[in-house]
Amino acid sequence: MQRCLPARNTRCHCSLLFAAILVLENQDLRDAIKPREVRFYSLNFNNTLRWQPGRAGEGETTLYFVQYKMYGQSKWHNKEECWGIQSRYCDLTEETSDAYEPYYGRVQAVSDGIHSDWSLSSRFTPWRETMIGPPTIKVLHSNKFIILKLQAPRSAYKRKRGSMIPMTNYYDLLYQVFIINNLLDEQHRVLVYEGKDKVIKIEDLRPGVSYCIVARTSVLVLGRSSAYSSRRCTVLL
Ligand SMILES: *[C@@H]1O[C@H](CO)[C@@H](O)[C@H](O)[C@H]1NC(C)=O
């Protein structure tokens, strides 16, 4: 090791060594604040990038910077609304609005003047990865039987004029309708309908009994189902 003697060339060595140590420490810090688990989360094409802080945790001054690009492009684009933010998510719905194209996002953290390296998401293709939401249920009639109207979930993608594009534009959706009556236990759902109809009649029900209905959406091509909708309950006359 060099000892710092007042000779000219040794001093020069010493400061080089010092600089090298600074760079090393800097690299450690950069690694320690690098965002982790950078992922897209997507529900009905509401596409957000989310992440966790680096292993050093999050300082009070930690800010995040987000970029995105379509697979195959060489240039990254800054996401203006997520440039120097404190939250750990960024809405990239508009930037990832071609459902069939693969995208990437990446995040950089800056803390106390130290920049982390960029932390990259895995490849995200909205059409493959989005979770489909349940339909909404409206009870139109409940007397001796129940008539329901189902509405497909809407996507977060908008048409030029501003209206939301329904998920049925992208997938062939099936609905599953379940009934829960108050004589059965809460978890016991009986499938009463499966298909594409939007208006459904449920018969052979008992008067004076309260029934609750839940539904979910299923996407055959992806082999997936949505979560259950909220319940609609009704008592038959
Ligand atoms: C996505 O969902 C978030 C939270 O539910 C909401 O605040 C945001 O406006 C949605 N984005 C779009 C483009 O609909």
Side-chain angles (χ1 to χ4, degrees), residues 43 45-48 50 89 91-94 155-158 164:
L43 175 65
F45 299 129
N46 178 316
N47 306 329
T48 55
R50 295 171 193 228
Y89 65 87
D91 192 335
L92 290 175
T93 302
E94 277 180 40
S155 78
Y157 290 156
K158 292 199 176 101
M164 312 279 241

Side-chain angles (χ1 to χ4, degrees), residues 1 23 29 76-77 137 149 181 199 202 211 215 218 223 231:
M1 289 304 272
V23 167
L29 280 173
W76 287 94
H77 307 280
I137 309 177
K149 187 159 186 247
N181 78 38
V199 178
I202 308 174
Y211 290 96
S218 134
R231 310 163 157 224

Side-chain angles (χ1 to χ4, degrees), residues 17-33 55 114-115:
L17 185 64
F18 184 58
I21 289 170
L22 262 188
V23 167
L24 262 182
E25 278 188 343
N26 229 332
Q27 188 57 47
D28 275 354
L29 280 173
R30 292 167 58 131
D31 290 346
I33 63 168
R55 70 186 138 78
I114 310 269
H115 292 232

